[in-house]
């Protein structure tokens, strides 16, 4: 997956480390951006750029774990790999529980680092694909009328047309019309497909 279309953002306050990593990753075919501080990175970060971040743990200002948390709470989600010379088990556990792809200690081999970056980029690609799918589904949902949304919820819950008519106080014939419009607007033919779309939107 190494491709200049994927950018590896490296954040480390050691300039020599930044330069060494930049050489290795550019040689592997990645786009690379380097930052000497978490604050600098956050100020320039564009979540729309595909890729991942390689973070040190011990840095002035924000440390790597705090930077990871900032990314997770700023709607700027970014797959993270830690590469640090100050790693310990509690820190690595915290990082992994917070969603880090890997926690490597310096000096890590190029193969281990690139393997971790490949996993991070794969997760990033999956997240972007899901995001696009959800946006499409939400656009379809936005076209439904309030009544169609009510019918949608009841159809997805497994109610029959007669039951829905009773709950909404209308005729079964009217429900059939609403149901047909819901299916058409949502771009599905079966209730199973409809439920699948709704589950995709509800995914955390």
């Amino acid at each position: 997956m190494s491709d200049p279309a994927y950018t590896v953002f490296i954040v480390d306050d050691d300039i020599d480390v930044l330069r060494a990593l930049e050489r290795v990753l550019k040689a592997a075919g990645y786009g690379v951006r380097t930052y000497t501080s978490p604050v600098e990175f956050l100020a320039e970060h564009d979540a729309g750029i595909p890729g991942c971040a390689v973070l040190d743990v011990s840095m002035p200002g924000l440390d790597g774990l705090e930077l990871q948390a900032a990314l997770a709470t700023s709607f700027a989600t970014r797959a993270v790999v830690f590469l640090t010379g100050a790693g310990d088990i509690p820190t690595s556990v915290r990082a992994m529980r917070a969603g880090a792809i890997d926690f490597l200690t310096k000096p890590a081999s190029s193969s281990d680092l690139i393997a971790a970056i490949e996993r991070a980029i794969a997760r990033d690609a999956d997240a972007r694909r899901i995001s696009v799918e959800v946006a499409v589904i939400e656009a379809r949902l936005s076209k439904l009328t309030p009544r169609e949304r009510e019918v949608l919820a009841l159809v997805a819950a497994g109610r029959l047309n007669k039951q829905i008519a009773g709950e909404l106080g209308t005729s079964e014939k009217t429900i059939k019309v609403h149901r047909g419009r819901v299916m058409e607007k949502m771009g599905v033919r079966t209730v199973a497909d409809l439920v699948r779309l709704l589950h995709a939107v509800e995914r955390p």
Side-chain angles (χ1 to χ4, degrees):
M1 193 177 291
S2 57
D3 187 307
Y6 294 95
T7 299
V8 180
F9 300 86
I10 310 171
V11 189
D12 196 307
D13 60 332
D14 188 326
I15 294 178
D16 290 335
V17 170
L18 287 180
R19 289 174 178 168
L21 293 177
E22 183 176 21
R23 285 194 300 270
V24 169
L25 296 180
K26 281 187 174 180
Y30 296 103
V32 178
R33 296 189 185 184
T34 60
Y35 303 87
T36 56
S37 78
V39 173
E40 177 191 6
F41 169 63
L42 287 174
E44 298 182 10
H45 183 242
D46 181 355
I49 300 173
C52 69
V54 175
L55 311 179
D56 190 11
V57 172
S58 180
M59 293 182 286
L62 295 175
D63 65 25
L65 293 175
E66 290 169 333
L67 175 53
Q68 181 187 26
L71 287 173
T73 58
S74 66
F75 304 103
T77 304
R78 175 68 64 192
V80 169
V81 173
F82 279 98
L83 177 62
T84 180
D88 54 45
I89 292 176
T91 301
S92 65
V93 169
R94 282 182 59 194
M96 299 301 286
R97 283 180 176 173
I101 305 300
D102 208 337
F103 192 95
L104 305 174
T105 54
K106 299 173 183 175
S109 70
S110 297
S111 60
D112 285 346
L113 176 60
I114 290 173
I117 288 172
E118 288 288 303
R119 292 194 297 274
I121 287 176
R123 180 181 292 183
D124 178 81
D126 284 343
R128 291 178 191 281
R129 175 184 54 77
I130 291 170
S131 179
V132 169
E133 290 177 356
V134 168
V136 169
I137 297 168
E138 289 179 340
R140 294 176 185 174
L141 286 169
S142 71
K143 296 178 181 178
L144 300 181
T145 66
R147 176 59 83 177
E148 288 167 354
R149 283 180 174 269
E150 291 178 323
V151 172
L152 166 64
L154 292 170
V155 169
R159 302 289 199 281
L160 301 176
N161 288 344
K162 184 176 181 179
Q163 294 172 315
I164 297 172
E167 289 193 41
L168 298 182
T170 188
S171 70
E172 188 174 349
K173 182 178 179 180
T174 298
I175 294 303
K176 287 181 179 178
V177 172
H178 285 312
R179 182 172 181 150
R181 289 174 179 167
V182 167
M183 302 297 273
E184 180 182 357
K185 289 181 180 181
M186 294 304 295
V188 296
R189 293 184 178 181
T190 69
V191 174
D193 288 338
L194 185 65
V195 171
R196 181 185 62 80
L197 292 186
L198 295 179
H199 284 170
V201 173
E202 294 168 359
R203 231 175 333 198

